Amino acid sequence: MIEYLKDNLWLVWTLISVLALILEVSSGTFYLLCFAIGAACAIVSSLLAIPFWIQVLVFLVFSAISVYAVRPFAVRYLHRDEDSRPSNADALIGREGLVIEPITESTPGYVRVDGDEWKAVTADGEPISNGSRVRVVARESIIVTVEKI
């Protein structure tokens, strides 16, 4: 088996490349993509019957070049607008909801936004009655601040 692999090193490099691509799908860091590119270059050198130590050198050099040349481009292209997209509870801001428990100046009430119930206070201190439509303007921990529409 070892003799077969020594004679067909391209299979080893192919296995490394495919394994790196599979692991890259689960990580999303684009470092493993660079190793897959380095292994692909090593496949080419293996098919040209270059000695193993040079194949390893080709793998290392092209992996390093990919980290500095390919990865920044991939991160910029595939992760653009990531910082500007609100997630989790921050996505509530600007959404509309329905008051299900009255909100007064002194006591918070509850609003239903997209099927979830949130403790709510008013932005201007004015009471909001049950059944009123409101818009979420801010969030502090688990309490949302709303204004009447």
Side-chain angles (χ1 to χ4, degrees), residues 20 35 39 47 73 82 90-91 95 104 106 119 129 131:
F35 292 129
L47 292 174
F73 172 75
E82 189 171 274
D90 290 332
R95 306 293 291 237
T104 65
S106 59
K119 188 180 243 185
S129 62

Side-chain angles (χ1 to χ4, degrees), residues 17 38 66 69 72 95 99 113 134 137:
S17 181
S66 296
R95 306 293 291 237
V99 176
V113 180
V134 293
V137 294

Side-chain angles (χ1 to χ4, degrees), residues 110-147:
Y110 282 89
V111 296
R112 181 173 288 131
V113 180
D114 296 333
D116 294 324
E117 296 178 4
W118 293 87
K119 188 180 243 185
V121 295
T122 63
D124 55 6
E126 292 293 319
I128 302 176
S129 62
N130 198 10
S132 299
R133 303 285 304 162
V134 293
R135 178 177 293 114
V136 178
V137 294
R139 181 187 66 83
E140 180 70 35
S141 184
I142 60 170
I143 300 173
V144 294
T145 304
V146 297
E147 64 183 9

Side-chain angles (χ1 to χ4, degrees), residues 8-125:
N8 297 296
L9 282 173
W10 66 272
L11 285 173
V12 175
W13 292 116
T14 303
L15 180 65
I16 291 170
S17 181
V18 169
L19 185 62
L21 287 173
I22 290 171
L23 292 173
E24 177 61 49
V25 170
S26 66
S27 75
T29 61
F30 301 112
Y31 282 110
L32 294 171
L33 174 67
C34 298
F35 292 129
I37 291 171
C41 293
I43 291 170
V44 172
S45 66
S46 173
L47 292 174
L48 296 174
I50 294 176
F52 179 68
W53 70 273
I54 296 178
Q55 293 176 30
V56 172
L57 189 63
V58 166
F59 170 73
L60 294 174
V61 167
F62 279 95
S63 294
I65 290 171
S66 296
V67 167
Y68 292 107
V70 174
R71 185 179 180 278
F73 172 75
V75 168
R76 260 193 321 271
Y77 181 74
L78 295 173
H79 288 281
R80 63 179 174 229
D81 300 333
E82 189 171 274
D83 294 334
S84 65
R85 186 177 336 138
S87 63
N88 299 333
D90 290 332
L92 284 172
I93 298 173
R95 306 293 291 237
E96 294 181 4
L98 182 69
V99 176
I100 58 173
E101 193 173 300
I103 305 169
T104 65
E105 184 178 332
S106 59
T107 59
Y110 282 89
V111 296
R112 181 173 288 131
V113 180
D114 296 333
D116 294 324
E117 296 178 4
W118 293 87
K119 188 180 243 185
V121 295
T122 63
D124 55 6

